[in-house]
Amino acid sequence: NSKMKNTHEPRCNEGDVIGIGGGADLGDLYHVHYHLRHHLTESDDHSVGLELTPSEDAAMVRASVEVTMVDYLDAEDPGTASSASASGLSVSNSDKTSIKAASSDCPGLVSNQSKFSLAQRYAISVAAHPKRHLYVTLLICAILTIVAFVGAVLTEATVTIQTSWFTRGTLISSRALQAFQLGKINEQEDEFFLNDGQRVDINDPPASEVVCSGQWYGSPYMIPGRQLNLMTAWKTRDESQNALDSEALYQMCINEEHVLESLEENNLCYKCPIESGSQERCIQPYSLVTAARIYLQAISTWSTDLNPDVYLAPSLSCKDFRAAWTKAVQSRFTSDLLDCTNSLLEQYGLQDSENDSPMCSFADATMVASLVDVNFPRSGKVEYTTAIYASKHDTDSLDELYKLDKSNAFSQEGTALTGVYEVGFQPLYLSLDGGFYMRDLYRAVNTDVALTSVACVVAGSLFFWHTKSLFLTLFGLLQIILALPISWALYRFLFGLESFPVMNLGGIFIVFSLGADDVFVMTDKWKSTRAIMTRASTTEVAIISLPSAITATLMTSFTTCVGFFAINASDVACIKLFGTFCGLLVAVDYVLSVLILSPVLCLYDSIMMRDPPNLCVSRQKMNVVKENASSDQEEDEEVTVGTHRNFHDRILGSYSDFLYSFRWPVLLVSVSTIIACSFVSSTFKPPEKEPFPALFPMANPYEAHSKFVENLVAFPLQLATDPTWTVKAVFGVQAIDDQNLLDTDPNYVGGSIAYDDDFDAANNQLYLLEFCDKIDKPTEDYSCVLQEFDSWLQLQSQSSSPDDQYAINCDWETSIPIETDTFDQCFIAFSELTNSSAVTFDYEAKKVKSITIDTRVDSTLWSPTAEIDKDWRRTEDWSIAERSRAPEGANNFFITSIGFWYLDTFNNIVASALKASYIVVSCAALVILLSSRSLTLSLFSGISIVYVLVAATASLAAMGWSLGFFESCLYAILVGLGSDFIMHFAHAYSMIPGKANKRLRMKHAILHMGPSVLGSAATTLSTSFIMQFCQISSAKRFATMMIMTMVHSLIGSFVIFSVLCSCFGPAEPTKRFDAIKTRIQKGKGAGVHSEDDFPRSIEIAIDATDVNNGSSFRPKRWMIFLSYLVAAIIIFVVNFEAYSFVKSSQ
């Protein structure tokens, strides 16, 4: 021992600065462990190579690595074996060498900081004044938090539930938005005439006489698209059943009586007096039951008129009605219903016309639209139908109706049908009130936000389990929680973003998951350094551990942050806002983890060095040699130098040995799995029909109601007739979007119409009239505004008493074309007279500004994207050709529709997701290259990241998912999350300086970063599991994607990356980079140690027979053979299942 100390005593020449990270950057810590390791190897030939390769973090490397190396020293000598046990490295006091002693020999160790890195200087400052740093940070955080809360109150900040999911700023979106603005200007009046000639406003509640006289039926008061009447959507329980069967009608009849009783009891309907008494009742809903009762009345009385015996006080009870509904009656009624349905579909171009068009026996064919589904003409069975009630629809009444529905006051079980309740027709998209859907969404948001408290408790529990310290747990949670208001303050006031979409709330769960990684890495690096430097001061431990922790967390935080900000490549406002807010969360959480956890760890270390330590700070006593220990005490005690062999280390060490022993079979399985997952992931394609992301699962009754009504004939009829959904050719408007592109308001308030000053309708009358004949008509009886104008001119010119507007403004013109000087004022007069919504004009200038002509395509918003894309390309190609032929003043038209806007949105999201993924992968590759300083490790990391992507995608495809809105916008984010663990392993693999065999490096990476990775994954999986209890479907889907990403990230790091390194890992991964750096440092004249100061390397040969040194496990030959057999079976099964899945998908 004395010889060892005399031979290897570190020398410090006058003027030298032995600084950790400086010119002589190996530091005294190297000597401590060099002495101990040399002592162990004097009697044995086992070793781990360690060459002196100066680098900025070499001292940190040795502090966290070298005792792990001792695990590989299989000392045969009993004396040595007792020292180099698997639990660490123990030496007597005669072998002890401390940083303290070394520092006393070389006083410049910490005093001269000129050659320290920025992170090391920060560590020294924090260790010297931890309370000052912590208090200042908390004060700044408190100020920013107060600013956030006060700002939220003053600006009346709210979570935006109704958001636009469409693109902004693109050519297609600008066209659609201009057409949308035109529709708002030209919106028709809400007045209409009743059957008795009475003129009423649809926005006013219907008068009692309107309801009680039966005029409510079929009027705009009843139309679901305009009114929020209570509606029951029915669906048969299986395809073999028919809603026209007597049992199904009987169930609907019983349910309608039950619902009417509830409405009457709560005064939620318009009550009408019954002639037979003083009692008042609600009128019957419009449903198949009412239509069937009218039909039965027609059979007996030959009258189809509505009378109180049908709609107010039915003469047939439900039992009598069922008895009267015979098979023969049902057959005749079905035939008449089919005739009306076919007639309606042909009328609006939704079905090919036939020569012998059917005649409808109903007074109005549109009355059947809400009674039958779109498959009824083909199947002859009604699978979907509705019942519409004349309920009140003021806000208070809607709130009461929602409460009744949530309490199941309307529901009744039945064997034939399943019924769900809602107010209106697709209220989420067609009504500002939103109906039950929006009310339930607000309730779900509040419930899901409350789950964040559960996530906080779970994260705190895992923090405490991992750190064994209540002190560290509380501050770990504090820095995560503080990140939320500070990030919002930056989001709102620094970036000036006013809208806060509901999907931003997902960032709360994300920050708990990502913040855990920072906490675990920083605490683990501190504890591993302290476990080695048992006699060092807090400052010395901080210099070693904090720069390493700051660098490691910076790598993962930076990549994840880039993933979030990269999705700003999308042109969808709510996705941009989501990426911005979550990116700020990750960045702020990282900064707070450095500013808060660094002084907290220094305080933690100081408290733990007390005797006894504070039990509130830690449940474990730190094994530290006190600075004031006497020499007599030191003679008797043993100091444990090394990583404590806890449960994690034993498990991970055994796993590392097992993986290395069977690395080749595992490699074969890994390569086969990557190939199989690549094929399966190719089936992950856009959905057949998903115009808007579903906010609730189908188990939610309001989401089910929305899906039910999409199958009704009324749904495509709504798309064909409502101006919002029709395809339009627009003249006189430029495709410009001058609104705030980050505004998520679905009503697009604040925009203006960009008129085309070159548009000249007067000089292009004939072309515009011919244009109407060139395009497809939306319905059979549709006439464009030019055709109507031409017919009006002919009619007025032949009339003996023409309209005054014609006589005054049209100069007795007979047809198009008319004089150009007369056209504008005449056309404007006609537009005013007919209240046309297809024309905008400047009345004072007597100038026609724009003309809109409706057309049609085969696809709708709810068609598969491939069909919409086909129609878009066909329409755009025709438009380009037509614009080239059109005369000046009419050659800037465009054709637009909501369907084309949706297609643009979907393509934009997918393209931006791929673009963002490329950005994140490139960023991750660069970060891995800089951190590992090895092209080989970067290649292995890239392969592992590719596995994470294809495996997670294949898992989602196997679950039946498709590449929808949420999946696309989250892809880039998950690329960043999926690369974090692999970065940690790549960095840890390259941490051992000099030459060391790949088995040692890989085991060190697993032992060094495994606990932190597992802890971070456990937190992420736990919070994702909690998110599975969210009621909003998007949160559940995001949680599922997080779970898949975490699972495959663990496999990618612990299996794919590890087995690649175990098979082909470099012994000197940083050799080339370090050589270049050394030459640069020498060129700058940086001070380095002489060759006499340190040995060039410690070369300890590993016995060829001891392929498993440090482990008692030695696989036998039959085990090796069995492993290849199992690998072959797994490869066959995986590839066969992948082939079968891909084949079935095709």
Side-chain angles (χ1 to χ4, degrees):
N1 292 338
S2 60
K3 178 182 178 181
M4 182 185 71
K5 291 202 295 184
N6 292 332
T7 304
H8 303 287
E9 187 70 29
R11 295 191 290 268
C12 180
N13 299 323
E14 184 177 356
D16 287 346
V17 177
I18 304 178
I20 301 171
D25 58 359
L26 295 180
D28 296 290
L29 188 61
Y30 173 85
H31 296 282
V32 177
H33 297 290
Y34 170 70
H35 293 327
L36 299 177
R37 291 171 55 222
H38 184 77
H39 171 66
L40 285 174
T41 57
E42 283 182 335
S43 61
D44 219 347
D45 199 27
H46 298 77
S47 82
V48 178
L50 176 62
E51 294 185 356
L52 172 56
T53 306
S55 62
E56 290 184 0
D57 62 345
M60 176 275 296
V61 168
R62 287 158 181 79
S64 58
V65 169
E66 294 198 342
V67 176
T68 305
M69 299 179 186
V70 179
D71 292 342
Y72 290 86
L73 301 177
D74 188 15
E76 301 291 341
D77 182 78
T80 308
S82 62
S83 301
S85 62
S87 61
L89 175 60
S90 298
V91 295
S92 62
N93 185 60
S94 58
D95 292 328
K96 297 172 188 173
T97 309
S98 67
I99 289 292
K100 180 79 174 178
S103 299
S104 64
D105 292 335
C106 299
L109 175 63
V110 178
S111 59
N112 190 336
Q113 301 181 23
S114 61
K115 295 185 179 181
F116 281 67
S117 68
L118 178 63
Q120 289 170 333
R121 290 197 293 269
Y122 171 73
I124 295 172
S125 175
V126 169
H129 308 284
K131 292 184 179 180
R132 180 190 301 173
H133 279 266
L134 180 61
Y135 294 160
V136 170
T137 301
L138 292 179
L139 178 62
I140 295 174
C141 290
I143 294 173
L144 292 176
T145 301
I146 293 173
V147 169
F149 279 103
V150 173
V153 173
L154 295 179
T155 59
E156 298 180 352
T158 57
V159 177
T160 307
I161 303 295
Q162 286 183 295
T163 58
S164 169
W165 277 96
F166 288 108
T167 51
R168 298 289 303 278
T170 65
L171 175 63
I172 297 177
S173 67
S174 298
R175 289 175 176 177
L177 196 58
Q178 286 295 322
F180 182 84
Q181 297 290 358
L182 281 176
K184 289 168 60 177
I185 291 178
N186 296 330
E187 192 171 5
Q188 294 181 344
E189 295 181 5
D190 291 329
E191 294 183 343
F192 66 96
F193 292 93
L194 295 172
N195 296 337
D196 59 1
Q198 181 183 358
R199 187 170 183 172
V200 295
D201 192 325
I202 195 173
N203 296 314
D204 298 331
S208 298
E209 57 270 17
V210 174
V211 176
C212 298
S213 64
Q215 296 185 81
W216 177 86
Y217 293 101
S219 72
Y221 281 132
M222 190 194 82
I223 296 175
R226 299 299 300 274
Q227 296 295 328
L228 293 174
N229 298 303
L230 179 65
M231 178 196 294
T232 308
W234 296 101
K235 180 185 180 299
T236 56
R237 289 192 175 272
D238 58 67
E239 295 180 356
S240 64
Q241 294 178 312
N242 186 358
L244 294 174
D245 292 340
S246 57
E247 286 301 322
L249 290 174
Y250 176 73
Q251 180 183 336
M252 282 189 276
C253 182
I254 293 296
N255 180 263
E256 288 172 8
E257 289 184 350
H258 176 70
V259 173
L260 287 173
E261 288 177 2
S262 298
L263 296 178
E264 292 167 0
E265 181 180 348
N266 294 278
N267 195 28
L268 294 174
C269 62
Y270 301 97
K271 295 181 180 180
C272 301
I274 300 176
E275 294 181 0
S276 58
S278 58
Q279 185 181 3
E280 291 184 334
R281 294 197 60 182
C282 301
I283 65 172
Q284 296 292 310
Y286 182 71
S287 65
L288 277 178
V289 175
T290 301
R293 278 180 167 146
I294 296 174
Y295 191 78
L296 289 173
Q297 171 191 279
I299 293 176
S300 60
T301 64
W302 297 97
S303 173
T304 59
D305 294 335
L306 275 172
N307 60 71
D309 288 341
V310 174
Y311 69 82
L312 185 56
S315 57
L316 286 176
S317 66
C318 289
K319 289 185 178 180
D320 294 337
F321 168 70
R322 178 174 59 177
W325 194 255
T326 63
K327 289 292 184 180
V329 173
Q330 177 182 338
S331 178
R332 293 197 300 270
F333 180 75
T334 301
S335 178
D336 289 347
L337 202 59
L338 277 171
D339 290 342
C340 291
T341 304
N342 289 325
S343 175
L344 180 65
L345 293 175
E346 291 175 10
Q347 177 183 350
Y348 288 94
L350 301 175
Q351 181 174 286
D352 294 335
S353 301
E354 300 179 359
N355 294 330
D356 51 343
S357 299
M359 297 296 294
C360 180
S361 59
F362 282 56
D364 185 359
T366 58
M367 293 285 285
V368 304
S370 63
L371 300 182
V372 298
D373 57 82
V374 291
N375 292 322
F376 175 61
R378 294 187 294 271
S379 65
K381 295 180 179 179
V382 175
E383 186 178 357
Y384 297 90
T385 186
T386 60
I388 306 173
Y389 296 83
S391 60
K392 296 179 180 179
H393 40 76
D394 57 277
T395 302
D396 293 338
S397 297
L398 292 176
D399 291 340
E400 187 63 27
L401 286 169
Y402 173 69
K403 293 178 182 177
L404 289 173
D405 183 55
K406 294 300 291 184
S407 63
N408 296 320
F410 302 142
S411 301
Q412 279 189 330
E413 293 295 329
T415 58
L417 301 169
T418 299
V420 287
Y421 301 84
E422 174 61 286
V423 288
F425 191 81
Q426 290 279 31
L428 179 62
Y429 306 109
L430 299 182
S431 168
L432 294 177
D433 179 271
F436 294 172
Y437 197 110
M438 287 304 301
R439 286 166 172 78
D440 209 49
L441 185 59
Y442 277 107
R443 183 190 60 82
V445 168
N446 293 332
T447 303
D448 293 351
V449 171
L451 283 176
T452 57
S453 60
V454 180
C456 183
V457 172
V458 171
S461 301
L462 290 172
F463 286 1
F464 184 72
W465 172 76
H466 189 86
T467 63
K468 307 298 187 297
S469 170
L470 182 62
F471 181 71
L472 295 178
T473 296
L474 293 178
F475 278 99
L477 288 175
L478 179 64
Q479 60 99 3
I480 293 175
I481 294 172
L482 286 175
L484 294 170
I486 295 175
S487 299
W488 182 86
L490 297 175
Y491 173 91
R492 177 64 182 85
F493 301 114
L494 182 62
F495 287 79
L497 303 175
E498 298 180 5
S499 180
F500 193 84
V502 65
M503 68 181 300
N504 284 12
L505 296 177
I508 299 176
F509 293 93
I510 293 172
V511 74
F512 274 104
S513 302
L514 301 180
D517 184 62
D518 296 344
V519 174
F520 292 152
V521 170
M522 294 194 72
T523 55
D524 284 353
K525 284 189 176 290
W526 183 281
K527 288 186 175 183
S528 63
T529 305
R530 168 54 73 189
I532 295 173
M533 302 172 63
T534 56
R535 297 173 55 85
S537 66
T538 298
T539 301
E540 293 160 344
V541 174
I543 297 174
I544 300 296
S545 64
L546 290 185
S548 173
I550 292 172
T551 302
T553 53
L554 175 62
M555 291 188 306
T556 56
S557 298
F558 176 73
T559 307
T560 306
C561 194
V562 168
F564 280 112
F565 282 117
I567 65 174
N568 279 276
S570 172
D571 291 311
V572 180
C574 58
I575 294 179
K576 283 178 173 284
L577 297 177
F578 172 72
T580 301
F581 179 68
C582 291
L584 286 173
L585 270 177
V586 176
V588 171
D589 179 73
Y590 169 73
V591 172
L592 292 182
S593 67
V594 173
L595 297 180
I596 293 179
L597 291 182
S598 296
V600 165
L601 286 169
C602 293
L603 291 173
Y604 166 81
D605 190 77
S606 300
I607 297 173
M608 289 299 297
M609 293 180 70
R610 299 173 186 171
D611 194 11
N614 192 329
L615 294 180
C616 292
V617 175
S618 178
R619 293 195 300 111
Q620 289 183 335
K621 184 175 180 180
M622 184 179 291
N623 192 5
V624 180
V625 175
K626 308 296 186 297
E627 295 181 10
N628 58 354
S630 64
S631 58
D632 294 336
Q633 290 173 324
E634 293 182 1
E635 290 291 342
D636 298 330
E637 67 181 354
E638 284 193 350
V639 180
T640 300
V641 183
T643 305
H644 179 61
R645 297 291 295 176
N646 55 26
F647 178 75
H648 290 106
D649 293 338
R650 292 194 299 270
I651 296 296
L652 293 176
S654 299
Y655 168 76
S656 177
D657 295 330
F658 177 85
L659 183 66
Y660 187 84
S661 300
F662 299 103
R663 59 192 182 280
W664 295 109
V666 175
L667 177 65
L668 294 176
V669 173
S670 300
V671 173
S672 175
T673 302
I674 294 175
I675 295 174
C677 289
S678 300
F679 279 106
V680 175
S681 62
S682 65
T683 65
F684 195 61
K685 297 179 179 180
E688 287 296 319
K689 295 181 180 181
E690 191 194 22
F692 300 103
L695 297 180
F696 287 117
M698 276 299 293
N700 182 277
Y702 311 120
E703 192 68 51
H705 188 282
S706 175
K707 299 304 179 184
F708 284 5
V709 298
E710 287 179 12
N711 291 277
L712 297 174
V713 170
F715 189 76
L717 188 65
Q718 180 87 358
L719 298 181
T721 57
D722 193 312
T724 305
W725 308 106
T726 54
V727 185
K728 301 177 179 66
V730 181
F731 290 85
V733 173
Q734 303 179 70
I736 296 175
D737 185 355
D738 60 350
Q739 292 180 241
N740 178 11
L741 298 183
L742 295 178
D743 183 13
T744 60
D745 185 358
N747 297 303
Y748 305 104
V749 178
S752 60
I753 297 177
Y755 288 108
D756 181 9
D757 295 333
D758 295 332
F759 175 61
D760 187 358
N763 288 309
N764 293 281
Q765 301 171 47
L766 283 177
Y767 174 78
L768 293 174
L769 185 62
E770 293 171 357
F771 186 89
C772 295
D773 294 326
K774 292 180 180 180
I775 60 176
D776 295 331
K777 294 182 178 181
T779 61
E780 286 185 350
D781 57 353
Y782 172 81
S783 296
C784 79
V785 66
L786 271 301
Q787 291 171 332
E788 292 178 347
F789 178 59
D790 188 48
S791 299
W792 180 76
L793 288 175
Q794 297 177 26
L795 181 64
Q796 294 297 318
S797 63
Q798 299 172 7
S799 174
S800 58
S801 56
D803 293 333
D804 293 339
Q805 293 287 352
Y806 170 78
I808 297 172
N809 298 287
C810 298
D811 198 22
W812 303 100
E813 294 284 354
T814 59
S815 64
I816 292 178
I818 64 177
E819 291 295 330
T820 56
D821 295 339
T822 307
F823 174 82
D824 283 302
Q825 64 181 19
C826 182
F827 194 51
I828 291 172
F830 163 77
S831 301
E832 288 185 310
L833 186 65
T834 59
N835 192 28
S836 175
S837 61
V839 182
T840 61
F841 50 83
D842 185 343
Y843 189 81
E844 294 182 358
K846 296 296 182 181
K847 171 72 173 176
V848 175
K849 303 291 288 183
S850 72
I851 296 176
T852 302
I853 301 173
D854 291 348
T855 182
R856 65 179 296 272
V857 293
D858 295 333
S859 62
T860 68
L861 179 63
W862 272 257
S863 299
T865 53
E867 294 183 12
I868 303 176
D869 183 71
K870 180 181 178 181
D871 284 337
W872 150 250
R873 294 181 184 279
R874 180 174 61 86
T875 303
E876 188 65 12
D877 291 343
W878 182 87
S879 299
I880 293 173
E882 186 63 27
R883 282 194 291 267
S884 66
R885 295 190 293 265
E888 287 291 333
N891 59 350
N892 290 328
F893 73 91
F894 56 82
I895 297 179
T896 184
S897 74
I898 295 292
F900 295 162
W901 196 0
Y902 161 70
L903 177 69
D904 180 62
T905 300
F906 187 83
N907 290 338
N908 181 271
I909 289 177
V910 174
S912 61
L914 293 175
K915 186 187 300 183
S917 298
Y918 296 148
I919 294 174
V920 178
V921 170
S922 302
C923 175
L926 179 61
V927 170
I928 292 172
L929 179 63
L930 295 177
S931 62
S932 64
R933 294 169 294 165
S934 169
L935 290 174
T936 304
L937 293 182
S938 299
L939 175 62
F940 292 168
S941 300
I943 295 173
S944 303
I945 294 174
V946 168
Y947 162 78
V948 175
L949 288 179
V950 297
T953 304
S955 299
L956 298 177
M959 294 167 61
W961 286 30
S962 55
L963 188 61
F965 273 44
F966 284 117
E967 293 80 3
S968 299
C969 69
L970 294 176
Y971 237 77
I973 302 168
L974 298 183
V975 173
L977 293 175
S979 61
D980 287 354
F981 299 163
I982 297 168
M983 283 184 182
H984 285 316
F985 272 53
H987 183 240
Y989 183 93
S990 62
M991 283 175 63
I992 301 177
K995 187 175 183 179
N997 67 76
K998 55 182 177 288
R999 180 177 186 180
L1000 172 119
R1001 289 182 177 276
M1002 198 60 247
K1003 187 168 186 177
H1004 165 255
I1006 293 175
L1007 289 174
H1008 184 71
M1009 292 307 304
S1012 298
V1013 166
L1014 290 175
S1016 177
T1019 306
T1020 303
L1021 291 173
S1022 299
T1023 53
S1024 299
F1025 177 75
I1026 293 170
M1027 289 179 69
Q1028 292 290 341
F1029 293 94
C1030 290
Q1031 298 185 33
I1032 298 178
S1033 179
S1034 57
K1036 288 187 175 183
R1037 296 178 78 85
F1038 178 58
T1040 302
M1041 295 185 74
M1042 289 278 286
I1043 291 173
M1044 291 296 103
T1045 304
M1046 285 298 103
V1047 169
H1048 292 294
S1049 293
L1050 289 174
I1051 297 174
S1053 55
F1054 278 94
V1055 179
I1056 306 298
F1057 180 81
S1058 298
V1059 78
L1060 286 172
C1061 290
S1062 296
C1063 294
F1064 312 108
E1068 296 180 275
T1070 65
K1071 181 178 181 180
R1072 289 185 177 84
F1073 279 78
D1074 288 342
I1076 295 173
K1077 185 175 181 179
T1078 301
R1079 286 196 293 270
I1080 293 174
Q1081 288 179 338
K1082 287 183 178 179
K1084 292 181 179 181
V1088 295
H1089 284 295
S1090 65
E1091 294 185 2
D1092 296 334
D1093 287 333
F1094 307 108
R1096 172 58 59 184
S1097 65
I1098 303 174
E1099 297 182 357
I1100 308 173
I1102 298 178
D1103 192 344
T1105 61
D1106 187 18
V1107 295
N1108 298 285
N1109 60 335
S1111 172
S1112 60
F1113 175 72
R1114 292 178 175 84
K1116 300 184 182 299
R1117 288 188 177 182
W1118 68 267
M1119 294 182 182
I1120 300 295
F1121 174 79
L1122 181 62
S1123 67
Y1124 281 100
L1125 179 61
V1126 172
I1129 295 174
I1130 294 175
I1131 291 172
F1132 173 79
V1133 172
V1134 168
N1135 285 273
F1136 178 78
E1137 291 295 330
Y1139 173 80
S1140 301
F1141 180 82
V1142 173
K1143 200 70 175 177
S1144 62
S1145 300
Q1146 293 173 347

